[in-house]
DNA sequence: TGGCTGACTTTCG
DNA sequence: ACGAAAGCCAGCC
């Protein structure tokens, strides 16, 4: 296994997020071992535009707020995609976020 | 090479 | 309780 870039790792984790579930930047960063670089996870998501298979819409901030929706394609609203997956969202805020939260550290359990 | 950036998170005021 | 500032680290110019 060649040493992958940080972005690749973020993509891998993002792809593992089940439909109808969401996670946070910090959770992914923590899973990667760099809890301080949560911003970078979002930044990696920004680069994920080249990777349509990466469900960046399932990644939100720790409050369950769709902070990165502004970076999404206006014709493919992040909220609409999540709602299609069964996630209830009100005012960019994911409802039942605690229940829908998918933590790679816990779910993947290493 | 050095420095800036960034879709976050946490803590101090 | 709310607002502002610092911290973090890897990619990019």
């Amino acid at each position: 296994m060649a040493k992958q870039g940080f972005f690749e790792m973020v993509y891998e984790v993002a792809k593992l997020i089940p439909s109808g579930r969401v996670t946070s930047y910090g959770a992914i960063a923590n899973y990667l071992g760099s809890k301080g670089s949560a911003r970078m996870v979002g930044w990696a998501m920004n680069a994920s535009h080249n990777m349509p298979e990466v469900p960046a819409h399932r990644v939100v901030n720790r409050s369950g707020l769709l902070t990165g929706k502004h970076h999404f394609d206006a014709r493919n609203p992040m909220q609409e995609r999540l709602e299609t997956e069964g996630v209830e969202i009100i005012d960019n805020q994911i409802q039942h976020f605690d229940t829908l939260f998918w933590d790679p550290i816990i779910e993947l359990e290493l």
Side-chain angles (χ1 to χ4, degrees):
Chain A
M1 270 304 259
K3 205 168 164 193
Q4 296 180 339
F6 197 90
F7 286 26
E8 294 295 326
M9 295 177 70
V10 174
Y11 301 153
E12 288 294 310
V13 177
K15 289 178 187 175
L16 293 175
I17 303 174
S19 180
R21 293 298 202 95
V22 291
T23 189
S24 67
Y25 303 95
I28 296 175
N30 192 12
Y31 175 71
L32 298 179
S34 303
K35 64 177 182 179
S37 51
R39 291 186 293 183
M40 230 191 87
V41 176
W43 190 14
M45 291 282 106
N46 193 9
S48 74
H49 277 254
N50 286 329
M51 291 247 169
E53 297 181 281
V54 178
H57 59 276
R58 293 179 188 153
V59 183
V60 296
N61 70 345
R62 69 152 195 128
S63 304
L65 194 65
L66 279 60
T67 53
K69 92 174 230 170
H70 191 68
H71 286 259
F72 264 75
D73 190 338
R75 290 155 303 194
N76 284 338
M78 183 178 194
Q79 179 172 336
E80 187 175 301
R81 283 190 158 204
L82 286 170
E83 287 176 339
T84 301
E85 295 181 357
V87 179
E88 185 179 5
I89 301 174
I90 299 176
D91 191 27
N92 297 334
Q93 173 63 53
I94 296 178
Q95 304 302 303
H96 311 291
F97 176 66
D98 184 50
T99 303
L100 298 175
F101 186 71
W102 183 88
D103 191 340
I105 299 175
I106 297 173
E107 302 296 333
L108 299 182
E109 197 91 13
L110 300 182

